[in-house]
PDB file of all heavy atoms in Angstrom:
ATOM      1  N   LEU A   1      -4.067   3.849  -5.247  1.00  0.00           N
ATOM      2  CA  LEU A   1      -4.560   2.498  -5.062  1.00  0.00           C
ATOM      3  C   LEU A   1      -5.258   2.027  -6.299  1.00  0.00           C
ATOM      4  O   LEU A   1      -5.721   2.843  -7.139  1.00  0.00           O
ATOM      5  CB  LEU A   1      -5.473   2.409  -3.868  1.00  0.00           C
ATOM      6  CG  LEU A   1      -6.502   3.500  -3.617  1.00  0.00           C
ATOM      7  CD1 LEU A   1      -7.806   3.320  -4.440  1.00  0.00           C
ATOM      8  CD2 LEU A   1      -6.817   3.646  -2.148  1.00  0.00           C
ATOM      9  N   ALA A   2      -5.281   0.751  -6.480  1.00  0.00           N
ATOM     10  CA  ALA A   2      -5.929   0.084  -7.680  1.00  0.00           C
ATOM     11  C   ALA A   2      -6.280  -1.307  -7.297  1.00  0.00           C
ATOM     12  O   ALA A   2      -5.701  -1.925  -6.442  1.00  0.00           O
ATOM     13  CB  ALA A   2      -5.005   0.118  -8.854  1.00  0.00           C
ATOM     14  N   TRP A   3      -7.363  -1.816  -7.947  1.00  0.00           N
ATOM     15  CA  TRP A   3      -7.788  -3.207  -7.743  1.00  0.00           C
ATOM     16  C   TRP A   3      -7.159  -4.078  -8.821  1.00  0.00           C
ATOM     17  O   TRP A   3      -7.055  -3.779  -9.928  1.00  0.00           O
ATOM     18  CB  TRP A   3      -9.306  -3.326  -7.876  1.00  0.00           C
ATOM     19  CG  TRP A   3     -10.042  -2.575  -6.777  1.00  0.00           C
ATOM     20  CD1 TRP A   3     -10.601  -1.289  -6.902  1.00  0.00           C
ATOM     21  CD2 TRP A   3     -10.331  -2.996  -5.473  1.00  0.00           C
ATOM     22  NE1 TRP A   3     -11.145  -0.923  -5.747  1.00  0.00           N
ATOM     23  CE2 TRP A   3     -10.991  -1.958  -4.834  1.00  0.00           C
ATOM     24  CE3 TRP A   3      -9.991  -4.191  -4.794  1.00  0.00           C
ATOM     25  CZ2 TRP A   3     -11.400  -2.040  -3.481  1.00  0.00           C
ATOM     26  CZ3 TRP A   3     -10.428  -4.293  -3.387  1.00  0.00           C
ATOM     27  CH2 TRP A   3     -11.104  -3.235  -2.808  1.00  0.00           C
ATOM     28  N   ASP A   4      -6.691  -5.315  -8.382  1.00  0.00           N
ATOM     29  CA  ASP A   4      -6.254  -6.306  -9.349  1.00  0.00           C
ATOM     30  C   ASP A   4      -7.413  -7.154  -9.801  1.00  0.00           C
ATOM     31  O   ASP A   4      -8.543  -6.998  -9.304  1.00  0.00           O
ATOM     32  CB  ASP A   4      -5.041  -7.147  -8.798  1.00  0.00           C
ATOM     33  CG  ASP A   4      -5.443  -8.115  -7.696  1.00  0.00           C
ATOM     34  OD1 ASP A   4      -6.620  -8.283  -7.443  1.00  0.00           O
ATOM     35  OD2 ASP A   4      -4.513  -8.743  -7.173  1.00  0.00           O
ATOM     36  N   LYS A   5      -7.116  -8.081 -10.680  1.00  0.00           N
ATOM     37  CA  LYS A   5      -8.295  -8.933 -11.292  1.00  0.00           C
ATOM     38  C   LYS A   5      -8.871  -9.867 -10.229  1.00  0.00           C
ATOM     39  O   LYS A   5      -9.904 -10.397 -10.486  1.00  0.00           O
ATOM     40  CB  LYS A   5      -7.677  -9.747 -12.468  1.00  0.00           C
ATOM     41  CG  LYS A   5      -7.421  -8.854 -13.700  1.00  0.00           C
ATOM     42  CD  LYS A   5      -7.089  -9.733 -14.835  1.00  0.00           C
ATOM     43  CE  LYS A   5      -8.358 -10.385 -15.365  1.00  0.00           C
ATOM     44  NZ  LYS A   5      -8.291 -10.821 -16.702  1.00  0.00           N
ATOM     45  N   ARG A   6      -8.145 -10.106  -9.182  1.00  0.00           N
ATOM     46  CA  ARG A   6      -8.652 -11.072  -8.094  1.00  0.00           C
ATOM     47  C   ARG A   6      -9.451 -10.362  -7.027  1.00  0.00           C
ATOM     48  O   ARG A   6      -9.848 -10.943  -6.029  1.00  0.00           O
ATOM     49  CB  ARG A   6      -7.505 -11.765  -7.530  1.00  0.00           C
ATOM     50  CG  ARG A   6      -6.683 -12.639  -8.487  1.00  0.00           C
ATOM     51  CD  ARG A   6      -5.516 -13.255  -7.855  1.00  0.00           C
ATOM     52  NE  ARG A   6      -4.591 -13.875  -8.808  1.00  0.00           N
ATOM     53  CZ  ARG A   6      -3.525 -13.283  -9.352  1.00  0.00           C
ATOM     54  NH1 ARG A   6      -3.238 -12.048  -8.967  1.00  0.00           N
ATOM     55  NH2 ARG A   6      -2.809 -13.860 -10.246  1.00  0.00           N
ATOM     56  N   GLY A   7      -9.645  -9.000  -7.180  1.00  0.00           N
ATOM     57  CA  GLY A   7     -10.370  -8.238  -6.248  1.00  0.00           C
ATOM     58  C   GLY A   7      -9.537  -7.900  -5.041  1.00  0.00           C
ATOM     59  O   GLY A   7     -10.074  -7.549  -3.965  1.00  0.00           O
ATOM     60  N   GLN A   8      -8.236  -7.889  -5.138  1.00  0.00           N
ATOM     61  CA  GLN A   8      -7.341  -7.455  -4.084  1.00  0.00           C
ATOM     62  C   GLN A   8      -6.947  -6.020  -4.340  1.00  0.00           C
ATOM     63  O   GLN A   8      -6.684  -5.572  -5.454  1.00  0.00           O
ATOM     64  CB  GLN A   8      -6.080  -8.328  -4.067  1.00  0.00           C
ATOM     65  CG  GLN A   8      -6.415  -9.782  -3.825  1.00  0.00           C
ATOM     66  CD  GLN A   8      -5.240 -10.742  -4.108  1.00  0.00           C
ATOM     67  OE1 GLN A   8      -5.055 -11.616  -3.379  1.00  0.00           O
ATOM     68  NE2 GLN A   8      -4.569 -10.533  -5.237  1.00  0.00           N
ATOM     69  N   LEU A   9      -6.912  -5.223  -3.253  1.00  0.00           N
ATOM     70  CA  LEU A   9      -6.524  -3.834  -3.330  1.00  0.00           C
ATOM     71  C   LEU A   9      -5.003  -3.710  -3.207  1.00  0.00           C
ATOM     72  O   LEU A   9      -4.419  -4.242  -2.288  1.00  0.00           O
ATOM     73  CB  LEU A   9      -7.210  -3.000  -2.242  1.00  0.00           C
ATOM     74  CG  LEU A   9      -7.007  -1.534  -2.312  1.00  0.00           C
ATOM     75  CD1 LEU A   9      -7.623  -0.932  -3.523  1.00  0.00           C
ATOM     76  CD2 LEU A   9      -7.573  -0.857  -1.036  1.00  0.00           C
ATOM     77  N   ILE A  10      -4.391  -3.017  -4.187  1.00  0.00           N
ATOM     78  CA  ILE A  10      -2.934  -2.792  -4.159  1.00  0.00           C
ATOM     79  C   ILE A  10      -2.756  -1.287  -3.920  1.00  0.00           C
ATOM     80  O   ILE A  10      -3.328  -0.416  -4.573  1.00  0.00           O
ATOM     81  CB  ILE A  10      -2.290  -3.201  -5.496  1.00  0.00           C
ATOM     82  CG1 ILE A  10      -2.670  -4.644  -5.861  1.00  0.00           C
ATOM     83  CG2 ILE A  10      -0.773  -3.014  -5.407  1.00  0.00           C
ATOM     84  CD1 ILE A  10      -2.301  -5.714  -4.902  1.00  0.00           C
ATOM     85  N   VAL A  11      -1.928  -0.956  -2.952  1.00  0.00           N
ATOM     86  CA  VAL A  11      -1.787   0.403  -2.484  1.00  0.00           C
ATOM     87  C   VAL A  11      -0.317   0.836  -2.460  1.00  0.00           C
ATOM     88  O   VAL A  11       0.592   0.091  -1.997  1.00  0.00           O
ATOM     89  CB  VAL A  11      -2.356   0.634  -0.997  1.00  0.00           C
ATOM     90  CG1 VAL A  11      -2.162   2.086  -0.569  1.00  0.00           C
ATOM     91  CG2 VAL A  11      -3.830   0.207  -0.979  1.00  0.00           C
ATOM     92  N   ALA A  12      -0.058   2.028  -3.014  1.00  0.00           N
ATOM     93  CA  ALA A  12       1.331   2.633  -2.939  1.00  0.00           C
ATOM     94  C   ALA A  12       1.314   3.516  -1.676  1.00  0.00           C
ATOM     95  O   ALA A  12       0.481   4.366  -1.537  1.00  0.00           O
ATOM     96  CB  ALA A  12       1.588   3.466  -4.163  1.00  0.00           C
ATOM     97  N   ASN A  13       2.323   3.247  -0.837  1.00  0.00           N
ATOM     98  CA  ASN A  13       2.403   4.003   0.386  1.00  0.00           C
ATOM     99  C   ASN A  13       3.681   4.916   0.430  1.00  0.00           C
ATOM    100  O   ASN A  13       4.764   4.473   0.090  1.00  0.00           O
ATOM    101  CB  ASN A  13       2.607   2.962   1.565  1.00  0.00           C
ATOM    102  CG  ASN A  13       1.498   1.966   1.654  1.00  0.00           C
ATOM    103  OD1 ASN A  13       0.357   2.284   1.913  1.00  0.00           O
ATOM    104  ND2 ASN A  13       1.862   0.723   1.318  1.00  0.00           N
ATOM    105  N   ALA A  14       3.445   6.178   0.749  1.00  0.00           N
ATOM    106  CA  ALA A  14       4.520   7.120   0.755  1.00  0.00           C
ATOM    107  C   ALA A  14       5.588   7.011   1.847  1.00  0.00           C
ATOM    108  O   ALA A  14       6.678   7.424   1.719  1.00  0.00           O
ATOM    109  CB  ALA A  14       3.956   8.528   0.757  1.00  0.00           C
ATOM    110  N   GLY A  15       5.215   6.322   2.943  1.00  0.00           N
ATOM    111  CA  GLY A  15       6.173   6.041   3.971  1.00  0.00           C
ATOM    112  C   GLY A  15       6.130   6.967   5.148  1.00  0.00           C
ATOM    113  O   GLY A  15       5.489   8.056   5.136  1.00  0.00           O
ATOM    114  N   SER A  16       6.821   6.615   6.222  1.00  0.00           N
ATOM    115  CA  SER A  16       6.748   7.390   7.500  1.00  0.00           C
ATOM    116  C   SER A  16       7.612   8.624   7.469  1.00  0.00           C
ATOM    117  O   SER A  16       8.778   8.555   7.019  1.00  0.00           O
ATOM    118  CB  SER A  16       7.173   6.476   8.643  1.00  0.00           C
ATOM    119  OG  SER A  16       7.280   7.217   9.815  1.00  0.00           O
ATOM    120  N   PRO A  17       7.075   9.758   7.977  1.00  0.00           N
ATOM    121  CA  PRO A  17       7.928  10.906   8.074  1.00  0.00           C
ATOM    122  C   PRO A  17       8.792  10.920   9.284  1.00  0.00           C
ATOM    123  O   PRO A  17       9.585  11.824   9.565  1.00  0.00           O
ATOM    124  CB  PRO A  17       6.934  12.101   8.100  1.00  0.00           C
ATOM    125  CG  PRO A  17       5.702  11.457   8.729  1.00  0.00           C
ATOM    126  CD  PRO A  17       5.664   9.998   8.304  1.00  0.00           C
ATOM    127  N   PHE A  18       8.634   9.876  10.191  1.00  0.00           N
ATOM    128  CA  PHE A  18       9.249   9.843  11.535  1.00  0.00           C
ATOM    129  C   PHE A  18      10.485   8.994  11.595  1.00  0.00           C
ATOM    130  O   PHE A  18      11.013   8.786  12.693  1.00  0.00           O
ATOM    131  CB  PHE A  18       8.247   9.437  12.545  1.00  0.00           C
ATOM    132  CG  PHE A  18       6.915  10.144  12.521  1.00  0.00           C
ATOM    133  CD1 PHE A  18       5.714   9.497  12.200  1.00  0.00           C
ATOM    134  CD2 PHE A  18       6.887  11.538  12.784  1.00  0.00           C
ATOM    135  CE1 PHE A  18       4.518  10.213  12.175  1.00  0.00           C
ATOM    136  CE2 PHE A  18       5.701  12.221  12.758  1.00  0.00           C
ATOM    137  CZ  PHE A  18       4.537  11.583  12.482  1.00  0.00           C
ATOM    138  N   VAL A  19      10.958   8.464  10.438  1.00  0.00           N
ATOM    139  CA  VAL A  19      12.176   7.672  10.484  1.00  0.00           C
ATOM    140  C   VAL A  19      13.236   8.364   9.647  1.00  0.00           C
ATOM    141  O   VAL A  19      12.934   9.268   8.900  1.00  0.00           O
ATOM    142  CB  VAL A  19      11.883   6.212   9.953  1.00  0.00           C
ATOM    143  CG1 VAL A  19      10.919   5.481  10.846  1.00  0.00           C
ATOM    144  CG2 VAL A  19      11.448   6.308   8.501  1.00  0.00           C
ATOM    145  N   THR A  20      14.460   7.864   9.725  1.00  0.00           N
ATOM    146  CA  THR A  20      15.529   8.412   8.875  1.00  0.00           C
ATOM    147  C   THR A  20      16.094   7.285   8.042  1.00  0.00           C
ATOM    148  O   THR A  20      16.512   6.264   8.589  1.00  0.00           O
ATOM    149  CB  THR A  20      16.638   8.990   9.844  1.00  0.00           C
ATOM    150  OG1 THR A  20      16.126   9.979  10.633  1.00  0.00           O
ATOM    151  CG2 THR A  20      17.779   9.596   8.934  1.00  0.00           C
ATOM    152  N   PRO A  21      16.169   7.400   6.745  1.00  0.00           N
ATOM    153  CA  PRO A  21      15.621   8.513   5.982  1.00  0.00           C
ATOM    154  C   PRO A  21      14.106   8.421   5.971  1.00  0.00           C
ATOM    155  O   PRO A  21      13.493   7.377   6.012  1.00  0.00           O
ATOM    156  CB  PRO A  21      16.224   8.356   4.552  1.00  0.00           C
ATOM    157  CG  PRO A  21      16.518   6.910   4.441  1.00  0.00           C
ATOM    158  CD  PRO A  21      16.870   6.452   5.892  1.00  0.00           C
ATOM    159  N   ALA A  22      13.506   9.573   5.826  1.00  0.00           N
ATOM    160  CA  ALA A  22      12.084   9.691   5.875  1.00  0.00           C
ATOM    161  C   ALA A  22      11.435   9.199   4.575  1.00  0.00           C
ATOM    162  O   ALA A  22      12.072   9.208   3.508  1.00  0.00           O
ATOM    163  CB  ALA A  22      11.607  11.091   6.115  1.00  0.00           C
ATOM    164  N   PHE A  23      10.163   8.788   4.648  1.00  0.00           N
ATOM    165  CA  PHE A  23       9.342   8.483   3.456  1.00  0.00           C
ATOM    166  C   PHE A  23       9.861   7.273   2.620  1.00  0.00           C
ATOM    167  O   PHE A  23       9.859   7.268   1.469  1.00  0.00           O
ATOM    168  CB  PHE A  23       9.107   9.714   2.601  1.00  0.00           C
ATOM    169  CG  PHE A  23       8.483  10.809   3.303  1.00  0.00           C
ATOM    170  CD1 PHE A  23       9.188  12.008   3.633  1.00  0.00           C
ATOM    171  CD2 PHE A  23       7.170  10.767   3.714  1.00  0.00           C
ATOM    172  CE1 PHE A  23       8.607  13.047   4.382  1.00  0.00           C
ATOM    173  CE2 PHE A  23       6.539  11.755   4.472  1.00  0.00           C
ATOM    174  CZ  PHE A  23       7.290  12.951   4.744  1.00  0.00           C
ATOM    175  N   GLN A  24      10.294   6.249   3.379  1.00  0.00           N
ATOM    176  CA  GLN A  24      10.628   4.944   2.684  1.00  0.00           C
ATOM    177  C   GLN A  24       9.371   4.403   2.209  1.00  0.00           C
ATOM    178  O   GLN A  24       8.519   3.910   2.941  1.00  0.00           O
ATOM    179  CB  GLN A  24      11.354   4.040   3.620  1.00  0.00           C
ATOM    180  CG  GLN A  24      12.736   4.501   4.083  1.00  0.00           C
ATOM    181  CD  GLN A  24      13.742   4.496   2.960  1.00  0.00           C
ATOM    182  OE1 GLN A  24      13.957   3.518   2.324  1.00  0.00           O
ATOM    183  NE2 GLN A  24      14.428   5.598   2.771  1.00  0.00           N
ATOM    184  N   GLY A  25       9.173   4.301   0.902  1.00  0.00           N
ATOM    185  CA  GLY A  25       7.889   3.796   0.289  1.00  0.00           C
ATOM    186  C   GLY A  25       7.758   2.325   0.367  1.00  0.00           C
ATOM    187  O   GLY A  25       8.698   1.545   0.602  1.00  0.00           O
ATOM    188  N   SER A  26       6.507   1.912   0.130  1.00  0.00           N
ATOM    189  CA  SER A  26       6.209   0.437   0.092  1.00  0.00           C
ATOM    190  C   SER A  26       4.920   0.196  -0.750  1.00  0.00           C
ATOM    191  O   SER A  26       4.233   1.147  -1.143  1.00  0.00           O
ATOM    192  CB  SER A  26       6.007  -0.112   1.501  1.00  0.00           C
ATOM    193  OG  SER A  26       4.852   0.395   2.115  1.00  0.00           O
ATOM    194  N   ALA A  27       4.711  -1.082  -1.028  1.00  0.00           N
ATOM    195  CA  ALA A  27       3.464  -1.524  -1.662  1.00  0.00           C
ATOM    196  C   ALA A  27       2.739  -2.402  -0.689  1.00  0.00           C
ATOM    197  O   ALA A  27       3.399  -3.258  -0.058  1.00  0.00           O
ATOM    198  CB  ALA A  27       3.800  -2.259  -2.964  1.00  0.00           C
ATOM    199  N   SER A  28       1.459  -2.271  -0.635  1.00  0.00           N
ATOM    200  CA  SER A  28       0.630  -3.152   0.249  1.00  0.00           C
ATOM    201  C   SER A  28      -0.492  -3.786  -0.553  1.00  0.00           C
ATOM    202  O   SER A  28      -0.952  -3.264  -1.561  1.00  0.00           O
ATOM    203  CB  SER A  28      -0.037  -2.284   1.379  1.00  0.00           C
ATOM    204  OG  SER A  28       0.909  -1.787   2.210  1.00  0.00           O
ATOM    205  N   SER A  29      -0.943  -4.917  -0.074  1.00  0.00           N
ATOM    206  CA  SER A  29      -2.115  -5.584  -0.674  1.00  0.00           C
ATOM    207  C   SER A  29      -3.079  -5.856   0.450  1.00  0.00           C
ATOM    208  O   SER A  29      -2.768  -6.096   1.611  1.00  0.00           O
ATOM    209  CB  SER A  29      -1.694  -6.844  -1.370  1.00  0.00           C
ATOM    210  OG  SER A  29      -1.101  -7.787  -0.482  1.00  0.00           O
ATOM    211  N   TYR A  30      -4.387  -5.934   0.094  1.00  0.00           N
ATOM    212  CA  TYR A  30      -5.506  -6.135   1.031  1.00  0.00           C
ATOM    213  C   TYR A  30      -6.544  -7.018   0.285  1.00  0.00           C
ATOM    214  O   TYR A  30      -6.767  -6.917  -0.910  1.00  0.00           O
ATOM    215  CB  TYR A  30      -6.186  -4.831   1.434  1.00  0.00           C
ATOM    216  CG  TYR A  30      -5.338  -3.817   2.057  1.00  0.00           C
ATOM    217  CD1 TYR A  30      -4.465  -3.024   1.327  1.00  0.00           C
ATOM    218  CD2 TYR A  30      -5.360  -3.703   3.477  1.00  0.00           C
ATOM    219  CE1 TYR A  30      -3.620  -2.124   1.961  1.00  0.00           C
ATOM    220  CE2 TYR A  30      -4.511  -2.741   4.113  1.00  0.00           C
ATOM    221  CZ  TYR A  30      -3.668  -1.926   3.331  1.00  0.00           C
ATOM    222  OH  TYR A  30      -2.830  -1.028   3.955  1.00  0.00           O
ATOM    223  N   SER A  31      -7.224  -7.825   1.099  1.00  0.00           N
ATOM    224  CA  SER A  31      -8.448  -8.509   0.640  1.00  0.00           C
ATOM    225  C   SER A  31      -9.650  -7.759   1.077  1.00  0.00           C
ATOM    226  O   SER A  31      -9.557  -6.966   2.067  1.00  0.00           O
ATOM    227  CB  SER A  31      -8.458  -9.972   1.091  1.00  0.00           C
ATOM    228  OG  SER A  31      -8.622 -10.051   2.462  1.00  0.00           O
ATOM    229  N   LEU A  32     -10.769  -7.986   0.434  1.00  0.00           N
ATOM    230  CA  LEU A  32     -12.006  -7.253   0.724  1.00  0.00           C
ATOM    231  C   LEU A  32     -13.113  -8.243   1.029  1.00  0.00           C
ATOM    232  O   LEU A  32     -13.398  -9.155   0.246  1.00  0.00           O
ATOM    233  CB  LEU A  32     -12.416  -6.297  -0.430  1.00  0.00           C
ATOM    234  CG  LEU A  32     -13.698  -5.524  -0.224  1.00  0.00           C
ATOM    235  CD1 LEU A  32     -13.519  -4.465   0.863  1.00  0.00           C
ATOM    236  CD2 LEU A  32     -14.078  -4.851  -1.536  1.00  0.00           C
ATOM    237  N   SER A  33     -13.802  -7.981   2.167  1.00  0.00           N
ATOM    238  CA  SER A  33     -15.036  -8.763   2.439  1.00  0.00           C
ATOM    239  C   SER A  33     -16.080  -7.790   2.918  1.00  0.00           C
ATOM    240  O   SER A  33     -15.930  -7.115   3.947  1.00  0.00           O
ATOM    241  CB  SER A  33     -14.762  -9.759   3.598  1.00  0.00           C
ATOM    242  OG  SER A  33     -15.963 -10.450   3.889  1.00  0.00           O
TER     243      SER A  33
END
């Protein structure tokens, strides 16, 4: 995870082990209050 200049959290996600194919990755963003 890392913060961008706007104070949003950007997260690399390894993905679910319960689907086929497993571990399909994604990127997420969050705001903080």
